């Protein structure tokens, strides 16, 4: 097997590339491809995390209002906290989705699809499933991290690699196994690191979710990918941390294998300004791998299931309007003093006012006069009072904010309505669809289909790199109904009492009932339960059931015997028995 880690330098690799070439970013191609959308990703990341991260970035999202003084503006930035509805909704869906077990196994035999096949290397793949990133995270947890990022930013990335072989002499598979060089690992890559790319091909997937619903999403392989990261290392505790260094890793396909090149800038202090575009960044490493595709799996969500796209703008609007409301309410807590001045001269035939009342400047800055003297002299008909807003406008805005919060949750639940309906669903009555549709469950099933597809692609990248011919299948992340156990048991007892002369139907009923009471089982355990139930339901269980009525020229047969079949004839199994 060719090494899955880079092991040899490319002889014709260029000595370097201009900085302006390396830093190119993928442009947007609306409406489906937003390209390298770092500005929106940064905004959604702040909205998702909230807390001090949002507080430190408040000036980016709360513009100064017309007529607002700089002092008032700075006070408003510190005054209002951010309520992270986006973060709560994303975490809820991610946790609910991956609360179910995800298992990727070889597909079973065509005659027994419920039983998984054998792993090509049980030790390697079992270890990968339990510790995918070599840091203690299971593969499900690693995929969950990337999928959570996709829920926020619309896309997530999972990278696959093998341990480095630099300076290691490996001559056989035994050496690989001994050194752990054939042990794959996976980790999340932030979308911000992938600055430019092109797709080899884009495929539209459609997955039936049941109940007349199906989800459509795109998957693609990369023809090349450019990743960028900034590194600031400190060699020792007594050393000074170095200036930032930019690293660019270019993946490309050459003769059916993925190759890589690593470019690294010299340390550069940000005070020195940006790197000139024509400055050549040297090549510091390159290699060929055994990967048959670029080992970067993209998890891309359709726009209607991208929570950041659906909830993010509403959460930002709530933050901005709540900031304005709280700021103005804060100012209204302090009443405005008002001095009402009487006339400076008396009417015709009336006495002259006091000397103080004749001073037209007596109302100038009464607060300063009060602070300087501790008292204030007023004329006979002068008056001092205070003024404050009625507060009715605040009540209106506060009510609108409550409605906006309801809208945030409403549009999230209504994502289920945006999942494509099949012709079967369109043919059902409105009352039937309303009774069957559970919005959250539908959305979770759609997410489950996308996550399972991503899991399969990760395993395919690994097995192809190891020269293994495996047809993988993913199980789990597909059952989210909250069953009422009492109602489920009562329904099972009622159905069990119905005389349906079908052993297959009895086995299916009992299997589904059993699995509903213990969700989250592995495919192997589910297959074993199904086998034990099938073995424990003899044909005699159907004794006493009414005979099968003759039809299509077939004579009625005793219970437990297939109609129209002689003893030596082969009878094709029904669809439910053959498996889907």
């Amino acid at each position: 097997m060719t090494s899955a880690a880079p092991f040899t330098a490319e002889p014709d690799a260029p000595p370097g590339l201009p900085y302006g070439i390396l830093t190119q970013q993928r442009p947007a191609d609306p409406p489906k491809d937003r390209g390298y959308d770092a500005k929106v990703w940064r905004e959604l990341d702040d909205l998702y995390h909230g807390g001090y991260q949002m507080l430190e970035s408040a000036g980016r999202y709360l513009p100064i209002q017309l007529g607002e003084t700089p002092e008032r503006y700075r006070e408003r930035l510190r005054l209002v906290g951010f309520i992270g509805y986006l973060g709560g909704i994303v975490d809820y869906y991610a946790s609910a989705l991956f609360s179910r077990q995800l298992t990727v196994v070889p597909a079973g035999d065509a005659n027994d699809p419920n039983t998984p096949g054998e792993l090509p290397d049980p030790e390697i793949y079992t270890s990968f499933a339990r510790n995918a990133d070599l840091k203690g995270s299971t593969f499900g947890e690693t995929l969950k991290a990337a999928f959570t990022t996709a829920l926020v930013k619309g896309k997530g990335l999972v990278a696959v690699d093998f341990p480095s072989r630099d300076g290691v002499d490996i001559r056989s598979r035994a050496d690989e196994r001994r050194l752990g060089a054939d042990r794959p690992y996976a980790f999340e890559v932030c979308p911000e690191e992938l600055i430019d790319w092109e797709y080899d091909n884009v495929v539209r997937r459609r997955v039936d979710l049941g109940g007349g619903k199906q989800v459509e999403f795109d998957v693609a392989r990369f023809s090349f990918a450019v990743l960028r990261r900034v590194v600031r290392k400190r060699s020792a505790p007594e050393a000074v941390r170095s200036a930032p260094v930019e690293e660019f890793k270019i993946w490309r396909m050459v003769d059916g294998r993925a190759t890589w090149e690593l470019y690294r800038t010299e340390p550069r202090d940000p005070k020195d300004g940006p790197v000139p575009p024509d400055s050549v960044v040297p090549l510091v490493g390159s290699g060929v791998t055994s990967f048959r595709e670029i080992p970067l799996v993209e998890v891309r969500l359709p726009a209607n299931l991208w929570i950041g796209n659906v909830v993010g703008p509403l959460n930002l609007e709530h933050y901005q309007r709540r900031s304005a409301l709280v700021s103005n309410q804060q100012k209204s807590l302090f009443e405005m003093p008002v001095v009402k001045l009487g006339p400076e001269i008396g009417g015709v035939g009336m006495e002259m006012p006091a000397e103080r009342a004749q001073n037209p400047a007596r109302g100038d800055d009464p607060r300063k006069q009060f602070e300087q003297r501790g008292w204030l002299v007023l004329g006979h008909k002068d008056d001092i009072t205070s003024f404050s807003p009625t507060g009715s406008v605040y009540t209106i805005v506060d009510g609108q904010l409550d409605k906006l919060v309801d809208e945030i949750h409403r549009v999230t639940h209504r994502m289920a309505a945006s999942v494509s309906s099949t012709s079967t669903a369109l043919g059902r009555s409105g009352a039937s669809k309303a009774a069957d549709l559970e919005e959250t469950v539908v959305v979770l099933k759609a997410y489950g289909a996308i996550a399972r597809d991503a899991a399969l692609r990760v395993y395919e990248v690994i097995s192809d790199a190891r020269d293994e011919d495996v047809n993988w299948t993913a199980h789990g992340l597909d059952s989210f109904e909250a069953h009422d156990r009492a109602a489920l048991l009562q329904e099972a007892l009622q159905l069990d009492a119905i005389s349906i002369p079908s052993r297959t139907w009895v086995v299916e009923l009992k299997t589904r009932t059993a699995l509903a009471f213990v969700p989250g089982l592995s495919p192997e355990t589910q297959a074993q339960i199904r086998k034990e139930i099938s073995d424990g339901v003899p044909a005699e269980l159907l004794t006493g059931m009414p005979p099968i009525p003759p039809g299509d020229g077939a004579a009625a047969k005793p219970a437990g015997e297939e109609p129209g079949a002689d003893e030596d004839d082969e009878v094709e199994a029904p669809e439910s028995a053959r498996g889907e």
Side-chain angles (χ1 to χ4, degrees), residues 106-174:
D109 186 84
N111 297 323
D112 189 12
N114 294 314
T115 302
E118 294 185 2
L119 291 169
D121 193 328
E123 182 180 348
I124 290 293
Y125 285 101
T126 300
S127 176
F128 176 76
R130 294 175 178 173
N131 183 15
D133 61 354
L134 300 181
K135 297 179 181 179
S137 300
T138 66
F139 175 65
E141 292 169 341
T142 303
L143 183 60
K144 177 183 177 182
F147 201 89
T148 300
T149 300
L151 292 176
V152 177
K153 302 177 182 180
K155 65 185 295 184
L157 297 167
V158 178
V160 180
D161 206 348
F162 287 79
S164 174
R165 297 170 171 228
D166 294 344
V168 180
D169 184 19
I170 297 179
R171 302 183 180 182
S172 65
R173 288 292 294 267

Side-chain angles (χ1 to χ4, degrees), residues 368-384:
K368 183 177 181 181
Q369 296 181 37
F370 178 80
E371 291 175 349
Q372 290 177 346
R373 305 179 184 179
W375 45 274
L376 187 65
V377 178
L378 298 175
H380 173 61
K381 294 187 178 181
D382 293 345
D383 187 21
I384 183 169

